[in-house]
Amino acid sequence: MAQNVGKIFEKDFSSSCPSDMFIYRVPDIRYGVKSICDFLLYSYPRLFLLELKSTQEKTFPIKNIAPHQLENMSKFNKNNMVAGFIINFRLHNMTYFIRGDVLQYIITQQNLTRLNVELLEEHGVLIPQEKKRTRFRYNLDYFRGWD
């Protein structure tokens, strides 16, 4: 049986974590309790709450972000915590990080229904990636020394 491409993206992302960082996959919904995010990533001195999304389309539909995810990723950006979305555009072979509070502000101000690469280039950060035969390896150095 073919594996879900979103789960493959999560596995590739998780296996890209260097040994001096800590990554934890938060379990999905259990007994009606919705998880805050997909991953916790710790890179001294910051804790990152990351929700991973992947699309084969040229743009990413906002409707694919659950309202509780956007709300959570917006309110947890404080002190030494950074919360946001990692959005993978498989068609472009490009992956971006955008803070949840920034994304919520943009969606509200511009009344967006879809995200495109140009918007993420302006408001997010490109995460370098390298294809290793059929799978990807992501350079997570961006999460070091966060300021």
Side-chain angles (χ1 to χ4, degrees):
M1 184 173 152
Q3 195 174 17
N4 175 309
V5 291
K7 295 298 179 191
I8 292 171
F9 171 49
E10 289 179 3
K11 185 174 181 180
D12 287 351
F13 186 86
S14 178
S15 65
S16 298
C17 187
S19 62
D20 63 336
M21 292 182 188
F22 171 78
I23 194 161
Y24 173 73
R25 173 65 169 98
V26 178
D28 289 325
I29 299 173
R30 299 211 185 240
Y31 309 109
V33 177
K34 298 174 182 174
S35 64
I36 296 172
C37 58
D38 288 329
F39 286 95
L40 300 175
L41 175 69
Y42 181 74
S43 178
Y44 179 82
R46 304 273 187 263
L47 175 64
F48 295 87
L49 286 73
L50 303 172
E51 178 66 29
L52 276 63
K53 301 291 185 184
S54 184
T55 183
Q56 183 61 31
E57 300 177 35
K58 290 182 179 181
T59 60
F60 180 79
I62 301 293
K63 69 179 182 179
N64 288 0
I65 299 175
H68 81 276
Q69 292 174 327
L70 190 56
E71 181 182 329
N72 287 334
M73 294 296 105
S74 297
K75 70 181 179 184
F76 288 117
N77 280 294
K78 56 186 171 186
N79 301 327
N80 282 343
M81 288 184 7
V82 179
F85 296 88
I86 306 277
I87 302 175
N88 172 247
F89 291 90
R90 296 188 309 274
L91 188 66
H92 300 292
N93 284 333
M94 299 175 100
T95 303
Y96 291 88
F97 170 78
I98 187 166
R99 287 172 50 131
D101 54 351
V102 172
L103 182 57
Q104 185 172 49
Y105 178 80
I106 293 167
I107 290 170
T108 304
Q109 293 299 309
Q110 298 181 18
N111 198 24
L112 292 179
T113 59
R114 302 183 80 74
L115 298 175
N116 58 40
V117 170
E118 292 78 19
L119 184 132
L120 290 171
E121 284 176 355
E122 183 178 342
H123 298 284
V125 176
L126 178 66
I127 297 175
Q129 64 188 43
E130 175 185 1
K131 192 167 190 174
K132 302 266 187 179
R133 292 187 188 181
T134 60
R135 303 296 289 269
F136 282 91
R137 177 134 181 102
Y138 298 89
N139 183 339
L140 302 185
D141 284 341
Y142 168 73
F143 296 101
R144 293 184 206 274
W146 176 275
D147 287 324

